[in-house]
Amino acid sequence: MTLLRPITKKTPASTSTIEETGLPFGFVLQPFHNKDIVTAGTKPNNASSSSENTTSYYYTSSRPNSPTKRITNKTASKLQPTKACLIAKCTNCGSPLNPTSPFISSWSVLCNFCGQTFDVDYETQHEMRQKALSSKSGRNSRSVSNSNNNNNNNNRSSNNDRKIEYKNRYTRNQNLPECKKSKIEYSLPLLSVPMPKSNNSHHNEIYTLPAKMCPPLITILIDGTTTNANYYNEICTSLDTLLQICDDDNHNNNSNNKKHDDLFFKGCRIGIFIMTKHGGLSIFDLKHSGSHIKHLQIHSSPSLQQRQQKQDARTVDTENDNYYNEPNKHVISLSEMLDIEHIYVPLDNAYTRSNVESAIRTLGDCDILSQACNRDYNDPGTGDNGTGGGVYLGSTIEYILDFIEDVGYHPGIGSHDPCFEKHNKDAAIHKFLYAGGKILCFLAGPPHEIGFLQPSQPQGRTGMGGFGGTCAEIGKRFGNTNHNVTMSHESNEKHLDNDDDIEAGGVHNNNTPKMNRNGKTGTANIEEGSGSSSKTNKNHKTRMNDEMNFQATTAFKNVDEYYQHLGIQCAYDAFSIEIFGLIDESSSSRDDISGLFIGIPYLRLLSDRSGGSGPLLITLSNRRKCTNNNNDANEEKLLMREVISRCTLTRPTAFGALLRIRLSPSLSINMDREEHVVIDRNSKIKQNTRLFNYYCSSGMYGSVSPSSSDPELFFMGSCDVSTTLSFELKITSNSNSIDDYVFVDGRGGDMQLTPCVQTCFAYTSIVYRDGDWRTVRRLRVCTTKLNLTDITESITSSLDLEALAVNRFHILYASSLRGGIRNVRPIAQNWLLNVLLSTYKSADEQYKVMQKYGYNGGHVVESFYPSDRLLNVSGGQLSNKEKLLAQGHSQLQMLPLLIFSLIQCDALRPRRDSFEPSIDSRSAASANMGNMSPSSISRCISPRLELWISGLGNKGPSFDSVGTSMDDIRFAVIDQVGLHEKTEEAPDASTPRPLLLLDSPRQVLIYDCYEFCRLQSGIKDEDVPMDLKISAKMAKQSYRVPPLVKSSAGSKDIQLADADSHLKDALIEDSRLSETNQTYKEWLNLLAEVLFSEISKKE
């Protein structure tokens, strides 16, 4: 079910305990993450299999090496959840019955979220539901076009039948699934249709429809202002592959059964729009052959402004805003010109699909498209001589949304806030029912709202941004790091046995940060001193300007605010937006391209608020170079893989999703960003808070929109199994502790409420059932009981590092938006020092408890060894530095590397040497990282390395976690294989060969480590362990966008130099900080000195 991961499995019971641990009181939420949910997008067994670039038909658990499961048709048909109307709910707060709510009597239950008792008898529950239904009778009473009575009759149940079924269930209330299971799924009605002559007092609920009758909608928006033929070819290739992806395998495997070709499309409909200069819009009429195109002129549509006024939102200043001051022409509604059946056509129909394919071929011909869309490149309305840009993206999206609202209706709309009730007052009875949709926007330049501008700060190289959470060129991630990839066994670094013991004098540096009086570290001394400061080191170049606080005057003054509210409106209409920027750099030969600003920091708001996966930036000239030189196969099919993986055709998707988070009375979502985003107030950088204010939505980080009236309600246009959200809680009780008591009549006094968190996730999805795709609406309820404790050591021992990585990334990126990117490292470093100091104090307290009660006294945490944690306790095997850095703590020993990896990721690291990302590419990288699952983001910041040995017949890796440094790899190889004598002869086939598996969202690589042990190359493909190949493919399947699997061993489908570049980018511990030029080991030495100094003072 829904996956709710607390950062610590043990929950701090009070505010003081939270402060003592230094760890955030937060959670990571994946609302659509579930092995069963694959049935919502799993292709039938006898349908065609995906190509190499698509693996989303399978479910892979969070561990890359876990078995892959597949849901069969027989299993899928049995997965029919209980109707939500048969589940008792709290009559006060609406919380569904769950295992944490105790029965007070046979029919009375105590709700742990509001502290009120409620009755589960049918009359009470029915009365509550009737009141709720009557309030919605005017808004979701819609008839479905082209519906048939037989289907409706199969999905209706009379009130008498429901009453009998309900009472039968609750006569055995102790054995009900909702009373036992903390995670459970229910069915919700798609429609509630009034019965004839009932005056809306009785309704028939429709729980499922064929996907053809309630289809997902795919909207293609293409910037048609560029003359670059490669731009259109890339888009057409990606779209054509998306439609044809199943043809080859399907025809080979099912040559006598053509209907499965239609099953693949899951009832989806598609529409294609071309945006042209001056607000022009060309629409393909896909119902008829010949690629007929309708032309419209769209200027600033006032619809969004009117909607904002209805919301009483203080957003748009119409007097000072250039965007709304432009002269508006009367724009004819699209519903008055074309029927939705002409614009969005079904892909499971062979005739209309051929029309779509014909339209895509038209897009590939730049000259034909130019004539068809009546473009004039001599007009200055487009970009620089046809390079692209200037389209009215916001107006186009508004125009399409207005059209959808006029003619359409989606199942989740009845649950939205009352302030967005334009749909409820609609007098139309017949509506086109749709499940939700995706809007794929392909841009050739900055939209009109942003304009052709030049930021005040240097842009850097535009390059690639977004794929795998990166924006660095291959092999240039960490600048000029001194690596000798073709290594001997000797190391250029200090020998690892040199302990650098703090008390022995170790490594001292004048650039050591110091503790303030309040126990927190200061940042002023970090940038000063002679040590290894960037001011004194002349071996590298660092941009001292702050990239995150760029100053750019956009064409639309409040463009960030405008895109924010437009993204929210997309989410309300069950649409999410995906942004693809394809920029042509061929017209400029400069290394520092400061004029190519497409505006990703603003455009990402459309994606973030609507539920998209994050913008992607691709440089067309770079792609051509990669293709010609065959240097980087990752770049070769990047756009195609991104489009395929983000589309509803190949990805299990939830549409029109609503998320409610219920908490115990003493808890609330922490919405005060100032409490957990620390800013260096002494920084000379001018703070820019506009984008910072939009990054967090009512305390929730991720692609989600907040409700304007309910702080615990959120919604998304769409989400998938990888969608990840993050939030923190705070204790709001007067006692500053989680201890809720309520008086219950008849129980003889107060009862303590069980502290818990409940998530209710409602969504619409497409499932395969009984040989056909069907649209359903579901409700997922996840109730998590909090395990309270006041013991700091117990809390830190239950830390989930992957969940912490998600939380820390959002906090650090928000800090960069608020105080600048150079604010990130000091904040991360200070937070780490505080946690390590708190951990040492906790160990000291545990040692005192152990001395008093003994090891088995019941107060000592398991796996606590004071000799490995405290400086004044002898007998351990760790050095003093390792003790200070919590290397003796089972859960915190990897925390320093996690923080170092975060501040070294592409989204948070300042420019240095060859690493010069633009503002656009860095923003795209951060947006994609913010949408990654915990396991993916962990491997993004620090790739997973496994060492395998060929020829030994072993079934798994020899080392499943190799350190991310050349020394660690070398020592692991020599430990397993030994050091061979140099010889010109090829090794025998039986000779063990070391092979390294590199697993990251950007690249999965099998690397031949023969040079580490002085072997000769020449391993054959059949000598590469089959389990290693399977592990690499399964690692690929664990990502939202599967990277290519390459190997420098056996088949050698990647050049050795390129493989070395990928490996170089993965070695986090060998990288150097941009500002201080410190390696990971040098950085740890500084931290240890600070901790030792602080502990020595207090002792």
Side-chain angles (χ1 to χ4, degrees):
M1 298 301 297
T2 297
L3 183 60
L4 182 66
R5 297 175 64 170
I7 294 178
T8 56
K9 296 179 181 179
K10 297 292 184 66
T11 303
S14 62
T15 303
S16 60
T17 307
I18 298 175
E19 295 174 352
E20 289 174 2
T21 62
L23 297 173
F25 180 20
F27 295 81
V28 170
L29 174 64
Q30 292 179 263
F32 203 52
H33 177 82
N34 185 341
K35 62 180 181 180
D36 293 334
I37 198 57
V38 170
T39 59
T42 303
K43 198 168 49 170
N45 279 347
N46 51 3
S48 60
S49 59
S50 62
S51 69
E52 180 187 2
N53 301 313
T54 321
T55 59
S56 54
Y57 305 118
Y58 297 90
Y59 165 73
T60 305
S61 63
S62 57
R63 290 191 62 190
N65 291 330
S66 59
T68 302
K69 303 178 182 179
R70 194 169 192 172
I71 306 300
T72 63
N73 299 347
K74 183 177 181 181
T75 306
S77 63
K78 293 182 179 180
L79 299 176
Q80 301 179 17
T82 304
K83 295 179 180 178
C85 63
L86 300 176
I87 306 302
K89 299 169 60 177
C90 176
T91 54
N92 182 57
C93 68
S95 171
L97 185 62
N98 58 84
T100 66
S101 299
F103 274 82
I104 306 301
S105 64
S106 298
W107 296 93
S108 182
V109 179
L110 175 62
C111 178
N112 275 302
F113 299 102
C114 64
Q116 302 293 322
T117 58
F118 64 95
D119 294 334
V120 299
D121 63 284
Y122 178 79
E123 286 72 19
T124 302
Q125 294 289 319
H126 180 68
E127 181 181 358
M128 177 190 65
R129 285 185 168 85
Q130 285 301 110
K131 290 181 180 179
L133 187 60
S134 61
S135 65
K136 299 181 181 180
S137 59
R139 59 185 171 187
N140 62 350
S141 300
R142 300 283 190 260
S143 61
V144 186
S145 59
N146 300 326
S147 62
N148 57 74
N149 294 330
N150 292 332
N151 183 76
N152 293 342
N153 291 333
N154 292 332
N155 294 280
R156 298 171 182 173
S157 60
S158 66
N159 288 336
N160 290 333
D161 293 338
R162 183 181 303 166
K163 181 177 181 179
I164 295 173
E165 188 175 0
Y166 181 91
K167 288 189 173 183
N168 287 337
R169 293 187 80 251
Y170 280 91
T171 54
R172 44 184 175 83
N173 49 29
Q174 302 300 326
N175 296 321
L176 292 173
E178 58 266 31
C179 296
K180 291 186 175 182
K181 297 182 179 180
S182 60
K183 299 179 181 180
I184 196 166
E185 183 174 74
Y186 306 114
S187 291
L188 291 175
L190 287 172
L191 293 173
S192 183
V193 182
M195 295 180 64
K197 301 180 181 180
S198 65
N199 296 325
N200 289 339
S201 60
H202 297 286
H203 293 72
N204 286 323
E205 294 180 338
I206 302 176
Y207 281 85
T208 178
L209 286 171
K212 296 179 181 180
M213 297 176 60
C214 187
L217 302 180
I218 303 175
T219 303
I220 308 296
L221 291 183
I222 300 177
D223 182 348
T225 59
T226 180
T227 57
N228 189 337
N230 192 42
Y231 165 83
Y232 298 102
N233 290 334
E234 293 292 339
I235 297 175
C236 293
T237 300
S238 300
L239 295 178
D240 184 67
T241 305
L242 176 65
L243 299 182
Q244 304 296 333
I245 194 171
C246 66
D247 284 354
D248 293 340
D249 290 339
N250 182 69
H251 290 173
N252 292 334
N253 299 331
N254 302 285
S255 58
N256 298 325
N257 195 351
K258 302 295 183 180
K259 67 177 182 178
H260 298 299
D261 215 13
D262 300 334
L263 287 176
F264 173 79
F265 297 105
K266 297 189 281 191
C268 285
R269 288 174 174 260
I270 190 171
I272 302 177
F273 301 78
I274 308 297
M275 299 175 289
T276 56
K277 62 179 182 179
H278 302 315
L281 182 65
S282 300
I283 306 171
F284 280 88
D285 184 348
L286 299 173
K287 191 172 183 179
H288 305 291
S289 60
S291 300
H292 185 63
I293 300 177
K294 295 285 186 180
H295 303 286
L296 302 172
Q297 196 70 22
I298 303 176
H299 283 276
S300 305
S301 173
S303 57
L304 181 62
Q305 185 181 2
Q306 294 172 356
R307 285 195 288 265
Q308 292 170 350
Q309 292 173 352
K310 289 182 180 180
Q311 301 168 31
D312 194 25
R314 300 185 299 272
T315 55
V316 180
D317 183 0
T318 56
E319 294 182 0
N320 299 324
D321 220 316
N322 296 330
Y323 192 81
Y324 284 109
N325 281 343
E326 294 185 0
N328 289 305
K329 296 182 180 180
H330 175 68
V331 179
I332 301 176
S333 173
L334 186 56
S335 60
E336 299 178 10
M337 299 181 58
L338 285 173
D339 186 77
I340 193 170
E341 301 284 346
H342 289 255
I343 299 176
Y344 291 95
V345 297
L347 290 174
D348 53 9
N349 181 284
Y351 175 73
T352 54
R353 187 168 71 250
S354 66
N355 295 341
V356 174
E357 294 169 351
S358 176
I360 292 176
R361 287 192 294 270
T362 301
L363 293 175
D365 194 320
C366 186
D367 295 332
I368 295 178
L369 187 64
S370 175
Q371 298 175 6
C373 296
N374 298 320
R375 296 179 300 187
D376 182 9
Y377 292 115
N378 295 323
D379 195 294
T382 59
D384 182 15
N385 297 325
T387 55
V391 297
Y392 281 63
L393 178 64
S395 291
T396 303
I397 294 176
E398 282 188 71
Y399 190 70
I400 295 174
L401 291 180
D402 286 340
F403 169 69
I404 295 296
E405 292 173 359
D406 288 341
V407 303
Y409 171 83
H410 70 89
I413 205 170
S415 303
H416 287 324
D417 295 12
C419 59
F420 291 91
E421 291 299 327
K422 172 182 177 181
H423 309 275
N424 302 349
K425 302 175 183 178
D426 199 301
I429 298 298
H430 296 278
K431 288 282 188 176
F432 177 84
L433 187 63
Y434 68 97
K438 283 270 191 178
I439 301 178
L440 308 182
C441 301
F442 299 90
L443 299 177
H448 167 76
E449 299 89 351
I450 294 176
F452 296 92
L453 53 90
Q454 183 172 352
S456 59
Q457 303 291 354
Q459 258 279 73
R461 289 201 57 83
T462 299
M464 180 190 72
F467 178 69
T470 63
C471 59
E473 298 179 62
I474 301 298
K476 299 181 179 180
R477 184 182 181 190
F478 298 120
N480 297 327
T481 305
N482 293 325
H483 281 154
N484 183 13
V485 180
T486 57
M487 295 217 204
S488 64
H489 65 287
E490 294 83 4
S491 173
N492 294 327
E493 300 289 343
K494 292 183 179 181
H495 196 275
L496 295 181
D497 292 338
N498 187 351
D499 190 43
D500 292 335
D501 194 287
I502 299 298
E503 291 183 322
V507 177
H508 291 275
N509 196 305
N510 294 330
N511 191 31
T512 304
K514 299 179 180 179
M515 283 282 188
N516 293 329
R517 292 180 180 179
N518 59 2
K520 295 184 178 181
T521 56
T523 59
N525 293 318
I526 295 178
E527 303 297 341
E528 300 174 359
S530 57
S532 53
S533 170
S534 59
K535 295 181 179 180
T536 60
N537 192 305
K538 299 181 181 180
N539 295 327
H540 73 281
K541 177 180 64 175
T542 303
R543 296 291 184 87
M544 295 307 296
N545 61 281
D546 198 283
E547 309 152 43
M548 302 306 296
N549 281 277
F550 62 92
Q551 301 295 325
T553 303
T554 55
F556 178 23
K557 179 180 178 181
N558 295 324
V559 64
D560 48 0
E561 199 166 23
Y562 174 68
Y563 282 157
Q564 167 85 358
H565 285 279
L566 186 55
I568 292 176
Q569 188 59 40
C570 286
Y572 270 106
D573 290 331
F575 278 91
S576 62
I577 299 179
E578 305 289 353
I579 304 292
F580 303 97
L582 284 77
I583 310 303
D584 182 15
E585 284 187 353
S586 59
S587 59
S588 176
S589 59
R590 294 177 296 168
D591 290 335
D592 188 68
I593 303 172
S594 58
L596 292 175
F597 180 69
I598 192 174
I600 296 295
Y602 302 117
L603 289 169
R604 67 169 293 181
L605 292 173
L606 292 171
S607 177
D608 288 349
R609 296 290 77 82
S610 63
S613 303
L616 178 72
L617 187 66
I618 299 175
T619 305
L620 294 174
S621 59
N622 287 351
R623 289 173 55 79
R624 283 197 296 270
K625 292 176 183 178
C626 291
T627 302
N628 294 336
N629 297 334
N630 196 26
N631 286 333
D632 189 3
N634 257 349
E635 300 271 344
E636 234 175 277
K637 301 178 181 179
L638 190 149
L639 179 64
M640 182 180 69
R641 283 183 286 140
E642 288 279 352
V643 170
I644 291 173
S645 298
R646 299 183 187 211
C647 187
T648 61
L649 292 175
T650 59
R651 191 77 175 167
T653 307
F655 300 103
L658 284 95
L659 173 67
R660 177 175 293 280
I661 298 178
R662 292 187 175 91
L663 304 168
S664 297
S666 58
L667 296 175
S668 67
I669 297 177
N670 190 356
M671 300 183 188
D672 190 354
R673 293 185 292 268
E674 296 294 338
E675 291 185 7
H676 47 86
V677 177
V678 184
I679 302 300
D680 181 11
R681 301 296 180 182
N682 298 323
S683 175
K684 297 180 180 180
I685 300 171
K686 183 178 179 181
Q687 295 180 8
N688 180 6
T689 61
R690 292 186 64 90
L691 293 177
F692 166 77
N693 291 334
Y694 295 127
Y695 186 68
C696 183
S697 301
S698 297
M700 186 73 70
Y701 292 98
S703 292
V704 67
S705 287
S707 167
S708 59
S709 61
D710 192 337
E712 295 181 347
L713 182 65
F714 305 87
F715 55 96
M716 294 168 278
S718 73
C719 69
D720 58 32
V721 295
S722 298
T723 300
T724 303
L725 308 175
S726 177
F727 62 95
E728 293 186 20
L729 301 182
K730 63 180 179 179
I731 301 175
T732 57
S733 63
N734 294 331
S735 62
N736 290 325
S737 61
I738 307 175
D739 53 354
D740 298 309
Y741 290 86
V742 295
F743 176 79
V744 179
D745 190 17
R747 299 290 290 189
D750 293 344
M751 289 187 62
Q752 185 175 13
L753 299 180
T754 302
C756 48
V757 177
Q758 184 184 77
T759 62
C760 295
F761 180 66
Y763 64 95
T764 304
S765 189
I766 313 298
V767 301
Y768 186 77
R769 181 186 298 168
D770 300 328
D772 196 10
W773 293 103
R774 303 188 70 84
T775 303
V776 297
R777 190 157 180 84
R778 300 282 194 248
L779 172 65
R780 307 187 140 199
V781 180
C782 174
T783 307
T784 302
K785 180 181 177 180
L786 302 182
N787 190 358
L788 301 183
T789 183
D790 283 322
I791 303 176
T792 303
E793 188 71 17
S794 178
I795 296 174
T796 56
S797 297
S798 65
L799 178 65
D800 184 340
L801 282 173
E802 289 186 347
L804 180 66
V806 176
N807 172 273
R808 288 296 94 188
F809 170 77
H810 286 297
I811 297 302
L812 292 177
Y813 187 74
S815 299
S816 72
L817 293 176
R818 181 65 184 272
I821 199 168
R822 295 190 177 275
N823 199 40
V824 169
R825 182 184 57 81
I827 290 176
Q829 185 171 273
N830 297 344
W831 178 85
L832 176 61
L833 285 170
N834 291 326
V835 173
L836 293 177
L837 182 61
S838 299
T839 302
Y840 189 88
K841 294 178 180 178
S842 172
D844 189 42
E845 294 175 359
Q846 278 285 292
Y847 183 54
K848 294 177 181 179
V849 172
M850 178 185 292
Q851 289 178 320
K852 183 176 182 180
Y853 296 100
Y855 191 84
N856 298 321
H859 299 275
V860 180
V861 178
E862 294 182 4
S863 70
F864 174 73
Y865 303 101
S867 59
D868 287 336
R869 299 285 301 279
L870 298 173
L871 298 177
N872 57 352
V873 180
S874 60
Q877 298 181 353
L878 300 181
S879 66
N880 286 341
K881 183 182 78 172
E882 291 172 330
K883 292 178 182 179
L884 292 171
L885 296 173
Q887 298 305 293
H889 195 291
S890 58
Q891 294 300 115
L892 292 183
Q893 59 182 347
M894 298 302 296
L895 183 60
L897 179 59
L898 177 104
I899 298 302
F900 186 83
S901 301
L902 275 172
I903 61 181
Q904 285 292 80
C905 73
D906 290 3
L908 299 175
R909 187 172 74 260
R911 296 171 184 155
R912 169 192 166 122
D913 295 329
S914 58
F915 177 71
E916 294 187 350
S918 67
I919 298 171
D920 282 330
S921 56
R922 185 190 294 277
S923 181
S926 65
N928 281 267
M929 282 189 68
N931 282 282
M932 288 183 178
S933 64
S935 61
S936 295
I937 197 173
S938 298
R939 286 175 283 167
C940 174
I941 61 176
S942 182
R944 182 174 62 98
L945 298 178
E946 288 183 353
L947 181 63
W948 293 66
I949 306 298
S950 68
L952 298 181
N954 47 2
K955 298 295 183 180
S958 299
F959 285 99
D960 58 0
S961 181
V962 181
T964 52
S965 71
M966 279 294 184
D967 282 340
D968 291 334
I969 298 174
R970 182 189 305 107
F971 293 158
V973 170
I974 296 176
D975 179 72
Q976 292 295 307
V977 180
L979 193 62
H980 293 257
E981 296 293 335
K982 292 183 179 180
T983 177
E984 299 295 332
E985 299 180 2
D988 187 79
S990 61
T991 303
R993 302 294 296 265
L995 301 172
L996 193 70
L997 175 62
L998 188 157
D999 175 16
S1000 72
R1002 186 173 189 175
Q1003 179 70 67
V1004 176
L1005 174 68
I1006 298 176
Y1007 185 85
D1008 190 352
C1009 301
Y1010 64 93
E1011 290 189 345
F1012 287 82
C1013 53
R1014 297 177 178 175
L1015 285 173
Q1016 295 294 321
S1017 61
I1019 184 173
K1020 299 180 180 179
D1021 187 63
E1022 56 267 23
D1023 295 331
V1024 178
M1026 181 57 63
D1027 287 342
L1028 172 58
K1029 296 179 180 179
I1030 295 175
S1031 182
K1033 291 182 179 179
M1034 296 178 70
K1036 163 187 171 180
Q1037 294 173 2
S1038 64
Y1039 298 108
R1040 168 188 274 132
V1041 182
L1044 296 181
V1045 178
K1046 294 295 182 180
S1047 175
S1048 64
S1051 58
K1052 293 186 179 181
D1053 47 10
I1054 185 172
Q1055 297 296 324
L1056 181 60
D1058 295 332
D1060 290 342
S1061 296
H1062 281 291
L1063 182 60
K1064 176 183 176 182
D1065 289 342
L1067 302 182
I1068 304 296
E1069 298 180 52
D1070 288 342
S1071 65
R1072 293 184 177 273
L1073 295 173
S1074 296
E1075 300 104 320
T1076 63
N1077 200 34
Q1078 297 165 340
T1079 63
Y1080 177 60
K1081 293 180 181 179
E1082 295 169 348
W1083 183 69
L1084 289 181
N1085 288 336
L1086 292 180
L1087 297 182
E1089 287 187 31
V1090 174
L1091 293 169
F1092 179 74
S1093 175
E1094 185 66 19
I1095 293 172
S1096 299
K1097 291 178 183 177
K1098 295 184 178 181
E1099 291 180 350

